[in-house]
Amino acid sequence: MKLTYELIRLELRHTWTIARGSSDYKENVIIRLERDGVVGYGEAAPNSRYGETPESTLAFIEQAIPLFAKADPWHFVELERAMGELQPAQNAAKAGLDMALMDWVTKSLGLPLYRYLGLDPAKAPLTTFTIGIDTPEVIAAKVKEAAPYPRLKIKLGSDRDEEIVAAVRSVSDKPLLVDANEGWREKHEALERIRWLEGQGIFAIEQPMPADQLDDMAWLRERVKVPLFADESVRTAADIPRLAQAFDGINIKLMKAGGLQEALRMIGMARALGLQVMLGCMVETSLAVSAAAALSPLADLADLDGNLLIKDDPFTGVTVDQGRLVLSGDPGLGAQPRN
Ligand code: MG
């Protein structure tokens, strides 16, 4: 297998602000895997929250090149395990490599990934559209732009929560998913915010408190009605058993998981423990978003809008119709380079 890669800079449509900070651009890595005239593509979206940088991602890919050079891509299960043994971290890089591998395998078979997995694309769920933290005027404008999406996600977790919800509610009564991104640090504060939000038409809350405060989360869960989803508290399947008492569901992202194969194991484990499944993403092109969307018929909720936040998407792939994900029927992940 011939493995090559390229660091790309993605300019964002709007400055992206969440509880942790702001950015105007994102640097991701596109991976290309070639053998027997078939090319598989993957994308790594490193995230500083998990100790990843573009440099650490490139370093992991370099480390994996000798492994891929001698491996048989049809032994993709074994290859994914061997990749995991190279380093415990750098899951975004692993996700990009696993994606390229699964794209190559399913393209070689001539099947869309969802079909290979036995999934019905008509069961793809609605995706939310995310409104980042901003001024009330900009938030109201973004909510109006998001007219085709029946469900929105809003980022809270700063001292401006009430102002943001008021700005959204001034122009829309759509059901809202709230993501606090670990922003409520104290359990009584979190309880007060959630009780107030329960009267504001919300249908779920993501990561109300810091990832390691699981006892506080379990305390909170006993006192509120709205389903609580883990995001920063969960990366891979190994994290899930200890979360089952503290959350109602988990947000699975390919970049946290380290790829499609681990994401599938996570979905299986979440189901076995009675947890709901949300599929999310980072700021990514249509390549990585299409890969996640291929698994979406297995999810209760999707938040797969990372590609809609960037200006010049270098890939085409999954689209959205009235908020519902429409999977491409092309073989592989369902994404193609734009040129
Ligand atoms: Mg989140």
Side-chain angles (χ1 to χ4, degrees):
M1 268 181 289
K2 188 179 166 218
L3 200 162
T4 53
Y5 57 85
E6 184 191 358
L7 181 67
I8 57 166
R9 183 180 159 114
L10 302 167
E11 303 294 334
L12 306 187
R13 288 176 189 272
H14 301 279
T15 299
W16 177 244
T17 302
I18 65 169
R20 270 192 291 283
S22 290
S23 52
D24 291 306
Y25 69 94
K26 176 82 177 72
E27 284 184 306
N28 288 357
V29 181
I30 302 298
I31 294 162
R32 196 174 179 277
L33 200 62
E34 186 171 0
R35 192 172 116 156
D36 303 335
V38 176
V39 178
Y41 290 97
E43 178 175 0
N47 192 317
S48 58
R49 170 66 180 74
Y50 304 105
E52 297 163 349
T53 60
E55 293 72 29
S56 71
T57 300
L58 296 174
F60 184 88
I61 296 168
E62 277 291 333
Q63 203 186 347
I65 285 177
L67 187 67
F68 276 74
K70 63 178 191 310
D72 181 343
W74 291 109
H75 299 164
F76 54 89
V77 172
E78 200 177 300
L79 184 50
E80 188 240 13
R81 190 180 49 75
M83 190 166 61
E85 285 169 359
L86 289 178
Q87 259 195 53
Q90 302 308 323
N91 284 3
K94 288 174 190 165
L97 290 162
D98 181 62
M99 230 180 265
L101 192 55
M102 297 314 294
D103 192 34
W104 186 90
V105 165
T106 47
K107 274 179 180 161
S108 298
L109 292 169
L111 296 174
L113 177 63
Y114 65 77
R115 187 161 178 85
Y116 169 77
L117 296 171
L119 304 178
D120 178 357
K123 300 271 168 63
L126 289 172
T127 181
T128 49
F129 182 83
T130 307
I131 311 289
I133 295 174
D134 224 310
T135 62
E137 296 72 28
V138 174
I139 286 174
K142 285 181 178 174
V143 170
K144 286 183 186 166
E145 271 177 46
Y149 297 83
R151 291 170 155 207
L152 302 176
K153 169 164 162 175
I154 57 170
K155 294 285 195 178
L156 297 184
S158 73
D159 53 10
R160 294 172 43 206
D161 291 354
E162 295 195 10
E163 175 190 333
I164 291 168
V165 173
V168 174
R169 286 296 175 237
S170 72
V171 287
S172 168
D173 58 1
K174 288 175 182 175
L176 301 175
L177 167 64
V178 165
D179 189 354
N181 285 111
E182 313 179 272
W184 303 324
R185 310 243 150 211
E186 197 280 318
K187 67 182 179 187
H188 295 94
E189 177 203 359
L191 180 62
E192 194 185 315
R193 301 274 181 122
I194 295 173
R195 291 233 166 110
W196 170 71
L197 282 165
E198 283 182 327
Q200 303 290 324
I202 62 163
F203 64 91
I205 298 183
E206 232 180 280
Q207 201 67 43
M209 301 192 68
D212 54 3
Q213 291 176 216
L214 284 187
D215 291 344
D216 289 341
M217 276 301 315
W219 179 90
L220 203 55
R221 188 187 177 206
E222 284 175 17
R223 288 165 176 78
V224 302
K225 292 188 197 78
V226 66
L228 304 177
F229 280 75
D231 183 1
E232 285 86 345
S233 288
V234 61
R235 298 180 69 185
T236 67
D239 299 321
I240 302 176
R242 66 191 172 87
L243 301 177
Q245 299 307 311
F247 291 95
D248 301 282
I250 60 168
N251 184 347
I252 297 173
K253 297 178 182 171
L254 297 180
M255 299 300 162
K256 292 190 297 174
L260 289 154
Q261 298 191 61
E262 178 67 10
L264 285 165
R265 287 191 286 270
M266 293 177 76
I267 293 169
M269 181 172 282
R271 293 301 182 203
L273 292 166
L275 292 166
Q276 293 183 57
V277 171
M278 181 190 318
L279 273 173
C281 62
M282 307 295 184
V283 174
E284 301 166 350
T285 74
S286 285
L287 173 57
V289 171
S290 297
L295 307 186
S296 70
L298 291 167
D300 303 295
L301 298 173
D303 177 35
L304 294 175
D305 63 349
N307 54 336
L308 307 173
L309 305 174
I310 61 177
K311 268 185 198 161
D312 297 305
D313 194 336
F315 286 84
T316 58
V318 62
T319 56
V320 178
D321 181 23
Q322 299 299 306
R324 195 160 298 279
L325 293 164
V326 181
L327 308 189
S328 155
D330 291 345
L333 307 178
Q336 309 294 344
R338 208 172 271 277
N339 300 310

